[in-house]
Amino acid sequence: MVDVPAYLRRLGLPAAPPSAAALAAIHRAHAERIAYTTFDIHLGRTTTVDPAESADRIARLGRGGYCYHLNGGLSALLTALGYDVRWHVGGVQGHGEPEPVGATANHLVLTVHGLPTPECPAGVWFVDVGLGDGLHEPVPLAPGPIRQGPYAFDLDRSTVVPGGWRLTHDPVGAFVGMDFAVGEAGPADFAAMHTELSTSPTSGFVRVLTAQRRHAAGADILRGLTLTTVTSTGPARREVTNREEWWGMVTGLFGVGVDDVTPAERAALWDRVRSSHEAWVAAGRA
């Protein structure tokens, strides 16, 4: 059961009947207010890919998560509001991967159906708030270039997923692209990959604490103690090595709720993030 009023309060939006305009407003607010973050992993909190659980954590704790939680929670909210939402298996190609990875289930994708507009006569929208510095607004599920703020995307048919789609990111983006299948999926399709991504010592989510939010002008990306701000002038980076400033950034700029985090947990988390950053710098990778 989704606490719709609490979720909408988190988004700063009133309740409204399903429409393309209302969907766009929800998508923008979600990308801006609910961080893509690995915060719970680094607190040692166990999560699942259950959409109701994700919606509760977003609405009640003020937390975010990564794609399974963000798109999962959003799907639960949209379904409760009366939208026709469908899950799809996706696969993100990182900068270290020379070729598309296919629909590996390392990403959950949403489409919303039944909302035709002149811009989208078929009424099928590609919806994704789980890509960090990805989409700010939903887009028609149709081939073509996409310009949102400083980012230039391209949506086209996938060359590695039969019948599927591929979103290619801007060269300055955090990933190369993402392919997804058209068939409908469910939580069971992502459970094993979620366990790997959230527990494996080789997972980037486990190695580095990140918080990201997308907005109309670009994106803010925190990895460890490094803040990257992306705007039309390009990316700008700086280190945030002051504990109070760092926590203020996590809770303020990224809006991560910490009411359930004890002072001891905060201190231990800061020590781990700082030590990891210092080791990274000492290794000459700054």
Side-chain angles (χ1 to χ4, degrees):
M1 187 72 177
V2 180
D3 187 341
V4 172
Y7 206 132
L8 290 176
R9 282 196 299 273
R10 180 94 197 273
L11 298 179
L13 295 174
S19 70
L23 175 65
I26 290 170
H27 196 292
R28 288 192 298 267
H30 212 288
E32 293 171 6
R33 291 173 173 245
I34 303 176
Y36 176 102
T37 182
T38 58
F39 190 76
D40 279 294
I41 292 175
H42 290 264
L43 278 178
R45 305 284 176 87
T46 300
T47 62
T48 73
V49 297
D50 177 71
E53 178 193 287
S54 297
D56 176 70
R57 191 166 53 254
I58 289 168
R60 182 173 55 85
L61 296 180
R63 205 90 93 235
Y66 55 104
C67 64
Y68 307 138
H69 312 116
L70 298 175
N71 283 334
L74 176 60
S75 75
L77 172 66
L78 292 176
T79 299
L81 290 171
Y83 290 86
D84 179 1
V85 187
R86 303 175 195 181
W87 285 29
H88 307 275
V89 175
V92 173
Q93 176 190 358
H95 283 291
E97 295 164 308
E99 302 292 338
V101 298
T104 61
N106 72 6
H107 187 65
L108 162 62
V109 178
L110 304 179
T111 55
V112 173
H113 299 246
L115 297 175
T117 68
E119 177 192 12
C120 182
V124 182
W125 296 85
F126 171 35
V127 172
D128 203 317
V129 294
L131 283 170
D133 66 347
L135 297 180
H136 183 231
E137 296 184 327
V139 297
L141 188 62
I146 303 163
R147 186 82 200 192
Q148 294 186 350
Y151 294 111
F153 304 91
D154 186 73
L155 184 60
D156 206 345
R157 289 292 184 175
S158 173
T159 60
V160 295
V161 179
W165 292 87
R166 177 174 175 84
L167 178 73
T168 301
H169 204 340
D170 191 284
V172 77
F175 59 95
V176 176
M178 185 274 297
D179 294 82
F180 65 98
V182 294
E184 289 192 56
D189 295 298
F190 303 94
M193 184 61 78
H194 170 58
T195 297
E196 179 179 339
L197 291 175
S198 60
T199 63
S200 171
T202 63
S203 167
F205 293 165
V206 174
R207 294 198 307 268
V208 180
L209 187 149
T210 188
Q212 304 181 35
R213 73 179 191 107
R214 185 72 165 82
H215 47 79
D220 299 305
I221 304 166
L222 179 69
R223 288 193 176 94
L225 302 186
T226 302
L227 175 69
T228 302
T229 303
V230 181
T231 65
S232 59
T233 60
R237 296 178 179 85
R238 70 181 181 94
E239 291 186 11
V240 183
T241 56
N242 176 274
R243 172 178 171 169
E244 287 70 29
E245 183 186 5
W246 188 85
W247 275 109
M249 188 172 295
V250 168
T251 59
L253 180 63
F254 295 100
V256 177
V258 296
D259 288 348
D260 64 323
V261 182
T262 68
E265 287 177 315
R266 294 192 196 194
L269 179 59
W270 166 255
D271 286 343
R272 287 196 300 274
V273 173
R274 183 192 59 194
S275 296
S276 176
H277 182 81
E278 290 174 349
W280 180 69
V281 172
R285 289 173 284 180

